[in-house]
Amino acid sequence: MASSFIISFALLACALFLMSGTSSAQLTHNFYSKSCPKVFDAVGSVVRAAVAKEKRMGASLLRLHFHDCFVNGCDGSILLDDTSSFTGEKTAGPNNNSVRGFNVIDDVKKKVEKVCPGVVSCADILAISAFESVIALGGPAWTVKLGRRDSKTASLAAANSGVIPPPQSTLSNLINRFQAVGLSARDMVALSGAHTIGQARCTTFRARIYNDTNINAAFAKSRQSNCPRPAGSGDNNLAPLDVRTPNNFDNSYYGNLISQKGLLRSDQQLHNGGSTDSLVELYNRNPESFFRDFAAAMIRMGDIRPLTGSNGEIRKNCRVVNS
């Protein structure tokens, strides 16, 4: 089903480029067509192997791209280790003990450097890795725009500033935070569908399964067995974000919300009597609409404030700036 949408996604990308204030004319789908024509093969081979080894890794790589783009744009800053001159983003509240997959990105970078050294940015590697992860788990294809350059610094303060919506977010909070980076409420609901894959730690959903009333009772009880009270006990125990098909990129996440089986409080906000209920219901009954809108939203998210031209650099090692 995903392959049938590729042409329409490309056309939609052009329309989004004209409409979006976050787009950059310097990002193009064929940016590496001459300088590194096999970049997708190189990235894809490593990502597919990693996802085959651990299905959860697909969600982790997709999340890295999301958390990178929301903090000062899609610039690869999330990959930087702390230095004597700055504290990076890895230990920020939304990322600490949460974001993962850095070793896979290291492996991808090594593979790409063998194919075309000094050409492909770590920011673009994140974008392609997210794409390949979704494809590997059965999701849609889209036209990945490339040409980003890498930041020479990172900011713990920026990552802690609230730009990344926390799992306790209200619907208005979610809409506002996505709008702040040029993404619509529709984009937000579609991108939230990425929670059809991956897992969450007990500490992020404990309050919901014990305190919320807009939750299926049997579902809450089943999650409580692996997420006991009080806080501090089993905080790092994991549960799938999608109780039905946790390793397949499909639209079942939206059916979960309609059944009040959203694991995170912020998930259930999307179908809780508010303005986004109708979108959740659309994506539940029409997976093609979800795939199409998710792909369009990924293109738009990848356009958030990229470094291009002579800005930034092409890092040799994604964890450190060039010496």
Side-chain angles (χ1 to χ4, degrees):
M1 177 168 59
S3 60
S4 66
F5 292 144
I6 293 177
I7 295 176
S8 61
F9 287 160
L11 295 173
L12 187 54
C14 294
L16 289 171
F17 166 77
L18 294 173
M19 294 186 293
S20 174
T22 59
S23 295
S24 168
Q26 293 165 296
L27 295 184
T28 63
H29 72 278
N30 60 351
F31 189 84
Y32 297 112
S33 61
K34 293 182 179 179
S35 60
C36 193
K38 295 185 178 180
V39 62
F40 277 86
D41 292 337
V43 176
S45 63
V46 177
V47 169
R48 286 190 295 272
V51 173
K53 183 178 180 180
E54 181 195 7
K55 297 293 186 182
R56 181 188 173 202
M57 187 55 67
S60 298
L61 296 176
L62 176 57
R63 191 160 178 257
L64 272 180
H65 183 41
F66 171 80
H67 280 225
D68 181 48
C69 289
F70 265 61
V71 179
N72 292 331
C74 308
D75 61 1
S77 59
I78 195 172
L79 302 175
L80 288 171
D81 290 337
D82 296 351
T83 72
S84 58
S85 60
F86 66 82
T87 302
E89 300 165 20
K90 292 180 178 179
T91 57
N95 298 332
N96 195 34
N97 297 317
S98 179
V99 292
R100 58 195 294 273
F102 298 107
N103 291 338
V104 175
I105 296 299
D106 291 340
D107 292 342
V108 171
K109 180 63 172 175
K110 290 175 184 176
K111 182 70 173 287
V112 171
E113 286 296 300
K114 288 181 180 178
V115 176
C116 37
V119 173
V120 182
S121 69
C122 298
D124 277 348
I125 282 175
L126 282 177
I128 300 172
S129 295
F131 169 83
E132 294 290 351
S133 294
V134 171
I135 295 298
L137 294 173
W142 63 91
T143 302
V144 183
K145 293 166 66 177
L146 302 167
R148 303 168 190 83
R149 289 170 65 84
D150 296 322
S151 171
K152 297 180 181 180
T153 188
S155 174
L156 177 68
N160 274 328
S161 67
V163 292
I164 300 173
Q168 295 79 28
S169 295
T170 63
L171 180 60
S172 61
N173 190 314
L174 290 168
I175 292 173
N176 290 339
R177 293 188 187 201
F178 276 73
Q179 285 182 341
V181 293
L183 298 173
S184 68
R186 192 181 191 97
D187 293 328
M188 182 271 291
V189 177
L191 289 171
S192 295
H195 284 182
T196 188
I197 54 176
Q199 301 183 59
R201 293 186 302 141
C202 164
T203 186
T204 65
F205 60 83
R206 179 186 279 116
R208 169 158 168 73
I209 62 174
Y210 285 102
N211 301 329
D212 289 3
T213 57
N214 61 343
I215 188 169
N216 178 279
F219 172 71
K221 186 175 182 179
S222 69
R223 294 283 75 89
Q224 290 170 8
S225 64
N226 194 43
C227 185
R229 290 190 292 192
S233 176
D235 280 0
N236 292 321
N237 291 350
L238 299 172
L241 289 160
D242 178 353
V243 69
R244 291 195 287 178
T245 57
N247 294 321
N248 297 330
F249 197 101
D250 55 27
N251 68 327
S252 64
Y253 165 81
Y254 299 103
N256 293 335
L257 300 186
I258 292 171
S259 301
Q260 294 192 317
K261 295 179 181 179
L263 183 64
L264 304 181
R265 186 171 286 168
S266 55
D267 285 333
Q268 195 59 58
Q269 289 295 306
L270 303 185
H271 195 271
N272 195 42
S275 60
T276 56
D277 282 13
S278 59
L279 273 174
V280 170
E281 292 160 11
L282 169 65
Y283 294 155
N284 177 58
R285 67 176 180 267
N286 191 333
E288 293 183 357
S289 291
F290 164 49
F291 272 28
R292 183 166 50 248
D293 285 359
F294 178 84
M298 286 297 295
I299 294 168
R300 292 185 61 153
M301 187 181 80
D303 276 338
I304 298 174
R305 296 170 58 190
L307 296 173
T308 57
S310 60
N311 296 315
E313 64 180 9
I314 305 298
R315 280 186 227 137
K316 298 175 182 177
N317 179 335
C318 290
R319 293 176 180 265
V320 298
V321 299
N322 296 339
S323 57

